[in-house]
Amino acid sequence: MSVYESICRFKALRTCRITFLPVAVFLSFLIFAGCSRTNSDTSSTAGNADTIRIGVIAELTGDIPSVGSSSRAAAEMAVNQVNNAGGLTVGGRKLKVELFVEDDAAKADQAAATMQNLINQKNVIAVVGPNSSTGAIPAAEIAESSKMLMITPWSTNPKTTLDSRTNQHKRYVFRACYLDTFQGRILASFARNDLKAQKAAVLFDVAAEALKGQAEVFKDSFELKNGRMAGYEIYTTGDRDFSTQLTKIKSKAPDIIFLPAYYGDVPLAVQQAHKLGLNVPFLGSDAWASSDLLALCGKDCEGFYFTAHYSPDSAAAKSKEFVDKFKALNNGKVPDDVAALTYDAFGLLLDAIGRAGKTDTESVRNALANTTGFAGVTGNMKFVEGSGDPIKGAVILRIKDGKFKWFANANP
Amino acid sequence: MAYFLQQFINVLQTGSTYSLIALGYTMVYGVLSMINFAHGDIFMVGAFLFFLFVSTLKLPFVPSMLAATVLTALLGVATERFAYRPLRGAPKMSAVITALGVGVLLEHLTLAINPYPRHIPAMFEGSGTWSAGGVVISQLKAAIIVFSLLMMALLDFTINKTKLGMAIRAISWDMSVVPLMGVSVNGVIAATFAIGAGLGGIAGVLYSLAYPVINPYMGVMVGWKAFISAVIGGIGNVRGAIVGGYVLGLVETLTIVFLPATYRDVTAFSLLLILLVYRPYGLMGKPKTFKV
């Protein structure tokens, strides 16, 4: 990796993630955050204000602008719904919600700066976002040290809610989605029990933390269920040719191939497999969930399954209502995972504020940690005190007639 | 056995791409003794031009491929005319740095015009696969390999048997004497760039048929691999570049067969370093002696 990294840094300063600068910036922020906390405690300044001030950190520019714009649209929709109904009832008073949307460009340093700004300048009581783990992990460190409540809608990396020093769960950081490890487990039992696969192969992007985690957990869970692995092959981000790995996999004749890969790589791998005469079903994870996959992969992906956070065609009334409203507000755009999860993050937060009956961060945080049964668009969620990771189910989608179709619910 | 034959077909496909692009590096080095680091990005532009004609303008396959090849060749000529020719008398390092700059410019220009990964539509929907004794080869793959080999044979003929080829070889031998024979140096150098870039464009088209998702950075890594191929064969040596591409394809495939796939690039670049230290003139080149 280091050769490749140094070369592409030299050549174009592009997809290589330059880790040192953000880490350095982030460390200096940690020091500042530590200092400022001793000088003045900013966490509960909005205790008895007339509005509820909530911050949003979204990836509006940078590599994944569609994630940020989805998240912002869902946040505005959630807040407008409450305000149009006269506000949120908190301890007998109707309070309006005021939203502060900031851009972190999906960058670690900018996410840290934005979180700092929301805490110190905007005096928010809670922050929803960032969505990408790249931004969410450093932002979460600052939120925790400033005692600021943070809910990330979409960051599935375990490190977001874990304290980097103690490896304990952070007290003030929550998320609205499940973790990478959960998907690996769900897919392994789906392959073994529902698809009756005896032998499974895995091909995954080893340079992507989330995908690597999914592959490892899938392998362990599949073997635990008396399945056999027929190939465990890797590639790195940016590879275009998987023929050699797929030829190796083919020689071991698996019943199924798990492909935790981002949606741009999926069609290449699947089409190359078909050209090699390797015609077994593929399984995917939430990294597949982009409508671009359907356009890029076409008929080759027909009939394949993958896990997602929610399904727009789900029969559940709550999901349907959300999808219809979102489409009406956004020129018919179907809400994606990020939109649904951001909406649920607001749902969780507003529910907690209502139950707390107060608007100071500490009370809201305690109410949120004691959420026992929140019915969200992406399923039912609860928190267990001591962990910011929700207990919730996943959905399994199937690609059928060029569309994502709901196939099954998978509960923990 | 079938398994290794199958892997060998994979080698042929990867190797064909590397060889076609390596020819561009080696030809430019031959006439100007400079490494045109923008060449990988010229390959990328070829793929994007093909996408433009096939997908946006909805032209049939053959005219699209011809148009993409011709325009890429012109792009090669233009980079030589406007970026490298003004620096011909300058130290070689200036030209190499300029080449890097041109490469980055092309990447970001493509990115500015077209920020999303694009999908080349399936052109040969009906094409199937042949299989024999457990070895499967798709007709598309076979066609790409055969067409690449044809192009390389054509180039080899041009270099060795035509007047233009003789002029290119003459410039590579001694640039200062060529004008005395009444041959236009600038014309021949422009033709060399046109051929090299045109082959890069063809490689871009073939590559985007085999791997139909294209993005503006696709040329970076492939360009480096082709550069290594050229070094393996002996940079400046046309037949060496062809052999070098297949050798690198073989080395990479064997690496993935026996080691985790992450070692593929490690092996490729280690090979580059070892060659540069112990045999900088490559497998087929001759050591250069300098007379005082």
Side-chain angles (χ1 to χ4, degrees), chain A residues 39-73:
Chain A
N39 294 340
S40 66
D41 192 356
T42 53
S43 61
S44 56
T45 43
N48 43 13
D50 293 335
T51 57
I52 305 168
R53 300 163 75 93
I54 299 176
V56 168
I57 303 179
E59 295 73 5
L60 298 173
T61 61
D63 287 340
I64 46 171
S66 66
V67 168
S69 64
S70 271
S71 187
R72 178 173 62 181

Side-chain angles (χ1 to χ4, degrees), chain A residues 146-175:
Chain A
S146 310
K147 300 190 175 171
M148 170 54 57
L149 179 61
M150 166 177 152
I151 308 176
T152 171
W154 197 51
S155 165
T156 50
N157 191 311
K159 286 178 195 149
T160 308
T161 50
L162 284 182
D163 192 299
S164 54
R165 281 155 298 183
T166 59
N167 231 21
Q168 300 289 310
H169 277 278
K170 293 193 180 89
R171 193 174 143 76
Y172 294 92
V173 181
F174 294 78
R175 68 175 107 215

Side-chain angles (χ1 to χ4, degrees), chain A residues 17 133 156-158 179-181 183-184 187 202-219 232-238 258-266 283-289 307:
Chain A
R17 290 180 193 106
S133 294
T156 50
N157 191 311
L179 276 80
D180 294 330
T181 48
Q183 293 187 65
L187 284 164
V202 180
L203 174 67
F204 67 100
D205 182 349
V206 73
E209 193 73 33
L211 305 178
K212 194 171 117 195
Q214 292 165 11
E216 283 164 357
V217 175
F218 177 87
K219 178 173 180 281
Y232 190 68
E233 297 294 325
I234 58 180
Y235 69 93
T236 34
T237 313
F258 178 40
L259 181 70
Y262 286 114
Y263 62 85
D265 296 343
V266 173
L283 280 183
S285 65
D286 65 334
W288 283 30
T307 43

Side-chain angles (χ1 to χ4, degrees), chain A residues 11 234 239-241 247-248, chain B residues 3 10 211 215 256 261 264:
Chain A
K11 181 94 197 286
I234 58 180
D239 281 3
R240 283 281 170 274
D241 187 288
T247 304
K248 276 170 94 173
Chain B
Y3 170 67
N10 297 337
Y211 311 108
N215 73 59
I256 305 183
R264 186 195 55 196

Side-chain angles (χ1 to χ4, degrees), chain A residues 4 12-15 238 240, chain B residues 40-41 44 48 104 107-108 110-111 214-222:
Chain A
Y4 173 58
L13 287 171
R14 40 166 209 99
T15 49
R240 283 281 170 274
Chain B
D41 299 303
M44 175 275 294
F48 268 89
V104 177
E107 278 165 30
H108 288 269
T110 314
L111 191 71
I214 59 174
N215 73 59
Y217 299 120
M218 63 188 274
V220 177
M221 204 53 180
V222 176

